[in-house]
Structure formats: structure tokens, C-alpha cells
Amino acid sequence: MSLVINHNMMAANATRNLSNSYGKLAVSTRRLSSGLRVGTSSDDAAGLAVRELMRANIASLNQGVRNANDAVSMIQTADGALGVIDEKLIRMKELATQAATGTYTSDQRLIIDSEYQAMSSEITRIAKSTDFNGIYLLNGNLSGTTHSGTGLVPTGKLKVHFGNNNYSASDYYYVQINSATASSLGVGQGAGAGKAGRSISTQDLAQKALSALNKAIVSKDKIRANLGALQNRLSNTVQNLQIQAENLQSAESQISDVDVATEMTEFTRQQILTQSAVAMLGQANNLPKMAQQLLG
């Protein structure tokens, strides 16, 4: 190589190597400081695309866990109210048994019936007032066999969505709760004229009411049993969703997170190369001075 003064090729070569090493050092610094192997699309374009889809699914699964837990809370609210209704029905049967015996007068049966009707009214009040986040649970609004979410207010059975997509086999199912009002259970004045459980004001009506109350208790128990099964199913769904989210998070970590040991090795290597390039650039910049000695 000739000794020239117009072009310092050794300095240019050292500058290029310095720029390359310094750029890689900057990348290692960014990765180590952020903890991410894939921070920009230039790091791994395909990996970035896969990672973002995984992150979206992880966020969706975590929200699905919250959705399912909200549904469990809703079911617990309904079941708690049905537990109170259960006590009212038991008291009504006790009153019907009391009124069915012949040792009470008609006036006394009317007094007993007044409490019977009060219990019936309380059952209806509980059923119509029990709500979760503004959604009434026991008044029959959720008893429909079909669901429609096309309007601002969904109708029919309640849809619990917890999956990433919209497939009925894996992403959602429905919660259907039958009405638990006194009229639906067939007891009290709301049961309608001629119904066996309408009144216990006479001995005959009281005896007939016992059978109606048994049916009412069974109907209420069916609602509670259905809710219990749904709660268990939702609890299992929560566990499954948490496992899915955990495994997906692990897979996303393999793509996205930096291996600190490996990257620290690369950082040290590029740091040494950068320092060497800086030193050699300084030496290369001094080489043209040799020409001055020949000129001088």
C-alpha cells in the first residue's frame, strides 16, 4: 500500500469496523437494559409477528379468567338469594302443615295464611330484586332458551365469554337461570286462581298446599343444582385458562426475552472490538504524518 495523504484507507477501514462494532454494542445494550431479545422488527421480523399474536392471546386469556370469575360471583349471588328463598319455602310448608290440622279455627287459619302470603310476597321480592351489576338473576330474564346479543341489552340466557375466539365449543357457554318468583314456583296469591299452593286459609287448601310446596322446593333445588354445576364448570374453566395463559407466556418468553448470559458475552465481545477499533482509528489517523517527514 502506497503512502498517500489524500486518502487514509486504513482510517476509513477502522472507522467502518468501529461503526459496525459500536452498532452491535448498542443493540446488546438495548437488549440487556430492556430484557427483550426482540425489541424492534429488525431484530426478528417473524418472531415479532408471532410474539404480538401471543401477547394478544395472553391478554385475552387473562381477561377470560376475569370474565369467568365474574360469572362465578354472579352465580354465588343467585345461589345466596335462593338460599334465603329456601328458608321461606320451608317456613311456608311449616305453616301449611300447621293449618292442615283440625285443631285450629278458621280465624286462626286466616292468621296463619297471612304469614304464608307474606312469605310468598317476600320470595317474589327477593327474586325480582336480586341482581349482579344491574343484571337481574331470578326474575326470569335469564330463563330464555335462546340468546341474542344484537341489541344494546342482550336478551335470553346469559353468555359467558372467556376464549380467544368465538367458537361455542371452546370459547363460551351460557348461564340459564329459571324464574324463582312465587308465581313461578306455584305458591301464594301469585300462583293463580285454583292453584293448590295459592292459600292455606282452609284445612283442605292447606293440605293441597303441602304437595305444591314440595314441587316448589324441588323446582328451587333444580335451579340451585344447575347453578352449582355451572359454578364448578366455571371454576374448572378458570384453572384451564390460567394453565393456557401460563404456557403461552412461557412460549412468548422463548421468542421475546433475551438470554442474559449469551447477550452479556456478545456485549463484552463488541465492547472489546469497539475499544480496539477506537484505538486503531487513532493510530490510523496518525499514519499520514509519516508523509510529512518525507516532505520536510
Side-chain angles (χ1 to χ4, degrees), residues 15-134:
T15 300
R16 177 173 56 80
N17 289 330
L18 173 60
S19 177
N20 185 47
S21 297
Y22 192 74
K24 291 180 179 179
L25 181 63
V27 171
S28 289
T29 302
R30 171 170 57 79
R31 288 175 175 174
L32 289 169
S33 62
S34 67
L36 295 175
R37 182 187 70 86
V38 182
T40 66
S41 58
S42 62
D43 291 329
D44 185 351
L48 179 68
V50 173
R51 184 193 72 178
E52 294 308 305
L53 286 174
M54 285 184 173
R55 288 179 61 196
N57 287 338
I58 292 168
S60 180
L61 286 172
N62 288 333
Q63 182 58 54
V65 170
R66 292 190 288 272
N67 289 352
N69 281 326
D70 287 343
V72 169
S73 298
M74 180 193 72
I75 288 173
Q76 289 174 337
T77 300
D79 187 65
L82 287 168
V84 179
I85 290 175
D86 196 12
E87 296 300 321
K88 305 305 176 187
L89 288 172
I90 291 172
R91 176 57 179 163
M92 290 175 75
K93 186 171 183 181
E94 182 181 4
L95 292 170
T97 303
Q98 184 180 12
T101 189
T103 57
Y104 291 96
T105 65
S106 58
D107 289 337
Q108 290 169 333
R109 285 194 182 89
L110 288 174
I111 294 172
I112 296 171
D113 184 61
S114 65
E115 183 181 352
Y116 181 88
Q117 300 302 335
M119 293 294 101
S120 170
S121 297
E122 182 61 12
I123 288 174
T124 297
R125 187 199 67 79
I126 292 170
K128 289 185 175 182
S129 63
T130 300
D131 75 293
F132 179 84
N133 193 34

Side-chain angles (χ1 to χ4, degrees), residues 13 34 40 45 49 55 78 86 95 157 165 176 184 220 226 255 262 266 276 279 281:
N13 182 267
S34 67
T40 66
R55 288 179 61 196
D86 196 12
L95 292 170
K157 52 189 177 181
N165 299 296
Q176 185 177 10
S184 299
K220 177 268 305 171
N226 182 53
I255 295 173
T262 300
E266 178 65 13
S276 298
L281 179 58

Side-chain angles (χ1 to χ4, degrees), residues 235-249:
S235 296
N236 292 330
T237 296
V238 167
Q239 292 180 5
N240 182 57
L241 290 171
Q242 289 173 334
I243 292 171
Q244 287 185 56
E246 182 180 343
N247 290 332
L248 199 56
Q249 186 71 69

Side-chain angles (χ1 to χ4, degrees), residues 60-61 63-65 67-68 71 145-149 157-176 230 233-234 237-238 240-241 244:
S60 180
L61 286 172
Q63 182 58 54
V65 170
N67 289 352
T145 56
T146 60
H147 168 83
S148 176
K157 52 189 177 181
L158 186 142
K159 184 177 184 179
V160 180
H161 201 290
F162 46 77
N164 288 323
N165 299 296
N166 196 36
Y167 303 117
S168 60
S170 58
D171 296 312
Y172 65 85
Y173 52 78
Y174 297 100
V175 175
Q176 185 177 10
L230 285 170
R233 184 178 179 183
L234 282 166
T237 296
V238 167
N240 182 57
L241 290 171
Q244 287 185 56

Side-chain angles (χ1 to χ4, degrees), residues 155-223:
T155 59
K157 52 189 177 181
L158 186 142
K159 184 177 184 179
V160 180
H161 201 290
F162 46 77
N164 288 323
N165 299 296
N166 196 36
Y167 303 117
S168 60
S170 58
D171 296 312
Y172 65 85
Y173 52 78
Y174 297 100
V175 175
Q176 185 177 10
I177 307 176
N178 291 330
S179 173
T181 61
S183 59
S184 299
L185 296 175
V187 295
Q189 294 296 326
K195 297 293 183 180
R198 178 178 174 84
S199 173
I200 57 171
S201 57
T202 68
Q203 187 176 15
D204 181 64
L205 288 174
Q207 290 170 339
K208 290 178 179 179
L210 291 172
S211 177
L213 285 164
N214 282 335
K215 291 179 180 179
I217 292 171
V218 170
S219 296
K220 177 268 305 171
D221 286 342
K222 286 181 179 179
I223 298 174

